[in-house]
């Protein structure tokens, strides 16, 4: 059901697999058909693993397999940008370095840096951070908006950017 698997996401997951292993077993049929865990399997191969944990289900009809594939993909909920930012910030607050976070999560430096900027912005301006979190502003807006020191002016400028009345370059 997922169709295309983004190679970049597999590489990120492979870094995590190298660091902590596969945390959730793949669901397979007795003939080896992967019902759930296609990305984990691809990441394991990239990470050089030859064995992965699996749960073998011999009671699944073809329609059950497809339904489980769909359910797994529908139930997967990504963290919101602000939740992700706060999670990375928590890791740093625990004493990890950005390099440690990269190694442990498999997430790239640019994404972590942007997330940390968003977490920092949320400390002083929850309204603007919330606009990024809801997708009203792109993550690239965090740095230029955070540079605006006037906390009374920043949310209004953010709203104008969101309404396309002002460009980021115009800040």
């Amino acid at each position: 059901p997922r169709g295309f698997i983004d190679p970049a996401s597999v590489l990120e997951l492979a870094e995590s697999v190298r660091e902590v292993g596969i945390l959730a077993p793949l669901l397979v049929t007795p003939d080896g058909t992967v019902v759930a865990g296609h990305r984990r399997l691809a990441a394991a191969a990239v990470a050089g693993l030859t064995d992965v944990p699996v749960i073998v289900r011999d009671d699944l009809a073809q329609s059950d397999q497809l339904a489980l594939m769909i359910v797994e993909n529908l139930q997967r909920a990504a963290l919101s940008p602000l939740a992700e930012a706060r999670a990375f910030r928590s890791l740093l607050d625990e004493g990890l370095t950005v390099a440690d976070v990269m190694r442990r999560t498999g997430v790239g430096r640019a994404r972590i840096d942007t997330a940390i900027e968003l977490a920092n912005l949320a400390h002083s301006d929850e309204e603007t951070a919330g606009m990024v979190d809801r997708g009203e502003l792109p993550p690239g807006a965090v740095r230029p908006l955070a540079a605006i020191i006037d906390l009374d002016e920043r949310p209004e400028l953010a709203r104008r950017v969101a309404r396309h009345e002002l460009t980021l370059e115009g800040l």
Side-chain angles (χ1 to χ4, degrees):
R2 177 181 293 274
F4 173 77
I5 297 177
D6 180 15
S9 75
V10 171
L11 291 175
E12 281 188 358
L13 185 56
E15 287 301 316
S16 175
V17 166
R18 281 188 193 99
E19 182 66 25
V20 298
I22 294 181
L23 301 178
L26 285 66
L27 181 63
V28 300
T29 62
D31 69 355
T33 300
V34 177
V35 177
H38 295 88
R39 281 186 60 244
R40 282 173 276 161
L41 182 60
V46 170
L49 298 182
T50 56
D51 295 312
V52 296
V54 299
I55 295 173
V56 179
R57 293 276 306 264
D58 60 0
D59 60 339
L60 299 174
Q62 184 68 28
S63 60
D64 295 329
Q65 293 175 34
L66 182 57
L68 284 172
M69 289 178 196
I70 292 169
V71 166
E72 181 194 26
N73 285 290
L74 290 175
Q75 288 181 345
R76 182 176 297 122
L79 293 175
S80 74
L82 193 51
E84 180 178 291
R86 288 180 171 142
F88 289 143
R89 176 85 257 162
S90 294
L91 291 173
L92 295 175
D93 290 347
E94 288 294 317
L96 274 66
T97 65
V98 171
D100 293 333
V101 174
M102 289 170 57
R103 188 173 53 258
R104 290 187 181 194
T105 64
V107 174
R109 175 85 193 217
R111 181 171 163 188
I112 292 171
D113 288 346
T114 299
I116 297 306
E117 289 174 347
L118 179 58
N120 293 341
L121 177 66
H123 283 292
S124 63
D125 184 354
E126 189 70 36
E127 182 180 350
T128 301
M131 293 175 75
V132 175
D133 196 45
R134 293 186 300 274
E136 296 166 14
L137 289 170
V142 172
R143 181 171 285 161
L145 286 168
I148 298 169
I149 297 171
D150 185 337
L151 296 181
D152 293 327
E153 184 180 19
R154 187 189 298 151
E156 177 53 33
L157 291 172
R159 286 189 290 274
R160 290 184 62 202
V161 169
R163 291 190 305 257
H164 306 288
E165 295 171 1
L166 182 66
T167 65
L168 292 175
E169 294 79 25
L171 293 175

